[in-house]
Amino acid sequence: MAGVGFELKKIFRDNGSVLNSLKGYSVTAVVTEGPMILTMVMLFSIRSLLKYYQATFREQEVYLFTITYVLIFSLILSNTVLMFVNRFISDCIYREETDGILPSFFGIVFFLLLFAVPIAFLYLMTLPVGWMFRIAALTQFSCMIVLWVQMAYLSAIKQYAYEMLGFLAGAIVSIGLSAVMMYAGYDLLLSAMWGTAFGFLAMMFLFMAQLLAYYPMGKFHIFCFFPALDQYKILVVTGFFMALGLYGHNFVFWTSEFGNQVFPTGIYCMKYDVPSFFAALTILPMLVQFVVSLETNFCKKNRAYFDTILYGGRLSDIKAAKSDMVKTLYRELAHMMELQLIFTIIAVTLLGNYLGSVGLDVEMQGIYRVLCFGYCIYGMVKCMIIILLYFDDRKGACIGAAMFTVLSILLSVLTLFTGIRTWGIGFLAAGLLSSVYIMIRLRRYLERLEYHVFCEQPLFTNDRKGIFEKVEEQLDQSESEFKKRSRERAKERK
């Protein structure tokens, strides 16, 4: 949630106030995790409606399967470009070239949908379902891709309250419409599917209205972000590995003997996915603490360091500011990890026993406990990768994300053959190995920070054009020639 620090700094300004601290953490939790919680409430409510109207277990399973696939694969696809999007928006705002932001949104959404919709359509054609179901699922998938991108653009203008209202409105529309359709006697599964689809549509239109109201329209040019791709294409790779790393280990266990086959081409693994879901929720305190510590404490020291460089500070002043910044960073990371470890131990001991009373068997409880520590380390990996990007170490961030994803999948495959009692250890081990590499990388980068700041910048401008810039110019030229020919034909007709 880029830029949330502006609001947090106002709240935390009075450092001695306990009330302000509680308010700051509450705002952060609502801003960063509120949309996810509202989505969970929406899905839980619609499934409760299905149960209330006596939908079969098969109908409930098909609904949850479809929504799960929609959320997972739309996130993996859209997250591939979101890191690049954040950097592109930041550069546009810094250069005061905001006219290109809204056209870039339309361009990115256009190319994402152009790539994703045909694949999703072909997959839906393999499912033994009706056309109304296929259209509803395709609508959900398309809307979610747009929504993930819209959230990145909204976070840049600090419209957190509007995001929350959008998700709340979407949840109300989904639940209300599903209830009305079920009460009216329509097919229960289709009622749930279309209710959810219209809820996503409501969110999408509300978010779009806010984007149009804030960003200048600019010239409609869907290729305007192409030149930036040449410079930041590594962020696309990093974003893809970050998203795939979150779900790659789940995909491995979908192929196990415990896999649940909803359709011939649709599977999941309840034995692993359910513990994984509950374990993933346990890292919410770490994510909230990371936003607070980064945006309030570390960001202030980071700004002081670069201000010392930019405004003529002496070498001794620069070194002192750097030392203060590095100490603050390490202190906040240690504090964040301590807090999360305490919460993880509580979740393993108390929540683990409670989950056994609500349906998780002994094996699932064991997987949950291992994954709690696994997600704890994953949260640290994710936070340190963001810090590497904060210092513009794009290569290090990409290597760290790729390392975690590849190790997570490979080690999960290994545990797949060693028995269910070892499930989750591959994810945990991948996090441990990756975190060691990323921490070493971060430490060495900070030790040579002066070199990276002063010596890595090019002495001369590189005028060589990249492939995406060449494509943009070629498309612009083709568009100009097409418009010219169209004007000439119009003159001939007259």
Side-chain angles (χ1 to χ4, degrees), residues 23-177:
K23 182 181 177 183
Y25 280 100
S26 300
V27 168
T28 307
V30 170
V31 166
T32 56
E33 314 305 335
M36 181 191 70
I37 294 172
L38 280 173
T39 304
M40 290 166 54
V41 169
M42 178 187 73
L43 298 179
F44 177 79
S45 300
I46 293 177
R47 187 176 183 189
S48 298
L49 284 172
L50 287 170
K51 288 183 178 180
Y52 178 78
Y53 285 99
Q54 298 181 342
T56 64
F57 176 79
R58 170 70 177 174
E59 289 175 320
Q60 298 176 46
E61 186 181 41
V62 169
Y63 173 73
L64 289 179
F65 158 81
T66 306
I67 299 300
T68 300
Y69 267 48
V70 165
L71 292 175
I72 288 177
F73 291 104
S74 66
L75 176 60
I76 290 176
L77 182 63
S78 59
N79 199 74
T80 300
V81 300
L82 289 187
M83 283 190 174
F84 163 76
V85 164
N86 288 329
R87 183 59 188 258
F88 178 80
I89 296 173
S90 299
D91 288 351
C92 286
I93 294 174
Y94 178 76
R95 295 195 300 261
E96 298 182 353
E97 297 174 357
T98 54
D99 288 350
I101 294 179
L102 200 56
S104 73
F105 167 78
F106 291 115
I108 287 169
V109 167
F110 171 78
F111 287 108
L112 282 176
L113 293 178
L114 184 66
F115 174 79
V117 170
I119 296 176
F121 177 77
L122 291 175
Y123 173 73
L124 287 170
M125 289 300 295
T126 67
L127 303 182
V129 294
W131 276 102
M132 291 300 291
F133 183 94
R134 291 189 181 110
I135 296 172
L138 191 61
T139 302
Q140 292 173 8
F141 182 68
S142 302
C143 287
M144 281 310 304
I145 288 176
V146 178
L147 283 167
W148 292 122
V149 180
Q150 284 178 326
M151 288 176 66
Y153 281 81
L154 283 173
S155 67
I157 55 177
K158 302 181 288 297
Q159 295 297 318
Y160 315 119
Y162 202 89
E163 283 190 26
M164 286 294 300
L165 288 174
F167 273 91
L168 180 61
I172 292 173
V173 170
S174 295
I175 298 169
L177 187 58

Side-chain angles (χ1 to χ4, degrees), residues 293-304:
S293 61
L294 183 73
E295 294 283 6
T296 56
N297 299 323
F298 169 70
C299 185
K300 182 167 60 176
K301 301 298 182 181
N302 180 267
R303 180 62 183 267

